[in-house]
Amino acid sequence: MQSRVDRQLRALALAKACAACGARVRTIGHLTGLPPREALRLLFPDRMAVPRGRSPDSPEWYHGANLLHRAEASIVVALYRRLRDADFPAGEALVGAYRHYVGICQPPHRISFDRAFDLAAHTDGLWLTDTRSFSLVTCPTCHSEFLAAYGSVGRSNDHCPFCKLVQRYGTDPRVQGAFPVQPLATPSAEQLGMLVLLQLEAGPLNQHPATPLAGQHVP
C-alpha cells in the first residue's frame, strides 16, 4: 500500500508529464486530483504559458470530424486501451498512449492531449462522465481498431477511417502527407557481415548453386 507521500509524489510526476504534453489545468486536475491553484503554481510559473481555450467535447466533435482527425483519434484511444488492458492506471496509460501517438504520427498532430483525455473519458466513462459514448470496433476488412458510437459492431468497413485512408491515398495529398511512405533502411556493414556468417553456417546444402554469398566477387 502506498504512503501518502508516495501518492503525492506520483500525482506530481503525472501532473508534470501531463503539462509536458500540453494539458490544460482542468485536465491535470481531473487526472491527478491536484487543486488548480497548486497546479498553476507548480507547473506554470509563467502565466502566459498556461494552455487556454474551450475544453473539447468529443461526443459531438468526433462524428463530424474529418477523416484524418477520426483516424488519429482512433489511434490514440486504441493505444490507451492497450495500456489499460495491460493494467496500467488510467492516467499513466493516457500519458503513455499520447506520447506514443506523437512519436508515430506526422506533425502537425491533430489530437491535442486534452482531446485525447476527453476521448478516453467518454470511451471508459471516467473522470468527466459515467456515460460511455464510444467503443473501439475492429474492422472486419483491415482489422484495425477504430472509434464508433458505443455498442457498435463492426459488420462492414463502411465507417472504418483506415480503409477510407487506403482508398484515398493515391489521390489525396493531405492523406499522403499525414501518412508518408517510410523508406527501407539501408543495412549497415555489421548487418551485412552477420548475413555472411549466417549463410556460411548454413553450409553448402542450403545454398543455391547460382547464388553467391554476400560480399563475394562474381566473375
Side-chain angles (χ1 to χ4, degrees):
M1 184 176 179
Q2 286 187 327
S3 67
R4 181 180 178 184
V5 172
D6 288 336
R7 289 194 299 271
Q8 289 178 331
L9 289 174
R10 182 176 174 180
L12 288 172
L14 179 58
K16 184 177 180 181
C18 292
C21 291
R24 290 184 175 89
V25 172
R26 171 180 174 269
T27 300
I28 294 172
H30 280 299
L31 288 169
T32 66
L34 206 63
R37 287 188 179 181
E38 189 172 355
L40 283 169
R41 179 177 63 83
L42 293 174
L43 301 171
F44 302 103
D46 179 5
R47 294 302 171 89
M48 297 300 294
V50 178
R52 305 179 189 280
R54 183 178 178 181
S55 296
D57 184 9
S58 295
E60 297 297 327
W61 168 85
Y62 178 78
H63 298 292
N66 68 33
L67 180 60
L68 289 172
H69 281 85
R70 284 185 282 120
E72 292 193 19
S74 296
I75 290 171
V76 172
V77 177
L79 291 169
Y80 162 77
R81 281 304 321 161
R82 288 177 190 176
L83 291 174
R84 289 290 285 144
D85 291 343
D87 292 330
F88 281 83
E92 283 82 351
L94 182 61
V95 170
Y98 193 77
R99 286 173 171 170
H100 193 179
Y101 154 71
V102 168
I104 63 176
C105 287
Q106 289 288 114
H109 298 104
R110 294 166 176 82
I111 306 302
S112 67
F113 185 83
D114 292 276
R115 175 70 69 189
F117 163 76
D118 199 75
L119 288 164
H122 286 95
T123 300
D124 280 358
L126 287 175
W127 302 309
L128 300 173
T129 178
D130 295 329
T131 303
R132 295 183 177 186
S133 300
F134 299 115
S135 294
L136 272 178
V137 176
T138 300
C139 173
T141 301
C142 72
H143 306 294
S144 299
E145 293 181 305
F146 65 93
L147 278 176
Y150 182 70
S152 297
V153 178
R155 294 190 175 91
S156 73
N157 70 341
D158 289 348
H159 301 290
C160 175
F162 302 106
C163 284
K164 294 183 186 301
L165 286 176
V166 172
Q167 293 165 7
R168 295 187 189 180
Y169 197 88
T171 58
D172 193 331
R174 295 176 304 167
V175 176
Q176 295 168 8
F179 297 96
V181 175
Q182 299 295 327
L184 294 175
T186 303
S188 65
E190 291 80 4
Q191 290 170 325
L192 289 174
M194 286 299 296
L195 178 60
V196 171
L197 290 174
L198 289 171
Q199 289 177 323
L200 288 172
E201 289 178 0
L205 292 177
N206 294 326
Q207 294 175 18
H208 192 284
T211 305
L213 293 176
Q216 282 186 337
H217 175 69
V218 180

